[in-house]
Amino acid sequence: MLMLLFQVGNDLYAIDSSSVVEVIPRVPLRKIHHVPEYVAGLFNYRGAIVPVIDLCHLIRGTPSRFCLSTRIIIVRAPLKNNTLQYLGLIAERITETFNAPKKDFVDSGIRVKEAPYLGGMKMDEKGIIQCIQLEELFSDAKHTYLLAAGENCASESGTH
């Protein structure tokens, strides 16, 4: 499977590119109040209001750095009513992709209850790469409110 590689601090992470719609430069965001600090804000993506999570803040507790390689990954989140919600994920050093079979990502043996989206790990010449499981990120109860706004959804036909 084709994976998108990025960093959170000095650690390498990857997501399956099949859910990735687009990788865009970091854009100004409208701040949302009364949400966890890792929710970076909202922005207009092709006519849809899209929430953005800062993966650096979510995973390590500090905001991502403002660098040229810090980008927003636009991903599709399937909803129960057969519609799609877009979600933005801010990450650092989004500069490459790589191919790896799903079986190459093995369980580390450590379960983090607060971070069920942290998946298997793979040894690589670059170091240890951990997979982010988007389906777990979307189904995690503390994040579901991000996907609740039905008026921001696009149908599966791709209209938005």
Side-chain angles (χ1 to χ4, degrees):
M1 87 182 134
L2 185 63
M3 306 290 289
L4 180 64
L5 187 67
F6 60 91
Q7 284 188 243
V8 172
N10 293 323
D11 298 323
L12 294 170
Y13 292 87
I15 59 172
D16 182 351
S17 67
S18 67
S19 295
V20 175
V21 175
E22 187 174 7
V23 177
I24 63 171
R26 192 162 180 173
V27 296
L29 302 172
R30 182 182 191 279
K31 182 70 180 154
I32 309 168
H33 302 284
H34 310 290
V35 296
E37 290 185 40
Y38 60 80
V39 179
L42 299 167
F43 80 107
N44 177 348
Y45 176 71
R46 303 180 189 267
I49 298 171
V50 175
V52 178
I53 293 175
D54 186 337
L55 288 177
C56 297
H57 207 288
L58 178 65
I59 294 170
R60 74 169 186 218
T62 57
S64 59
R65 297 172 288 188
F66 283 92
C67 302
L68 285 176
S69 63
T70 301
R71 307 286 176 142
I72 298 176
I73 307 164
I74 306 297
V75 296
R76 287 183 296 270
L79 298 177
K80 292 177 184 169
N81 60 356
N82 290 331
T83 60
L84 294 173
Q85 166 73 49
Y86 295 108
L87 181 66
L89 304 171
I90 298 174
E92 299 175 350
R93 295 188 185 155
I94 304 173
T95 56
E96 62 186 284
T97 59
F98 69 97
N99 274 305
K102 196 170 195 164
K103 65 177 178 56
D104 284 3
F105 287 88
V106 297
D107 189 351
S108 68
I110 299 173
R111 299 268 188 265
V112 181
K113 183 179 167 187
E114 292 79 21
Y117 51 84
L118 294 176
M121 297 182 164
K122 172 189 179 348
M123 288 296 299
D124 187 83
E125 63 271 358
K126 295 173 184 60
I128 297 173
I129 301 171
Q130 187 163 25
C131 186
I132 300 290
Q133 297 176 311
L134 292 177
E135 62 279 358
E136 291 294 329
L137 183 63
F138 300 140
S139 66
D140 187 358
K142 69 181 181 181
H143 302 122
T144 54
Y145 65 88
L146 290 171
L147 303 175
E151 66 272 9
N152 297 330
C153 299
S155 70
E156 284 203 65
S157 65
T159 59
H160 47 1

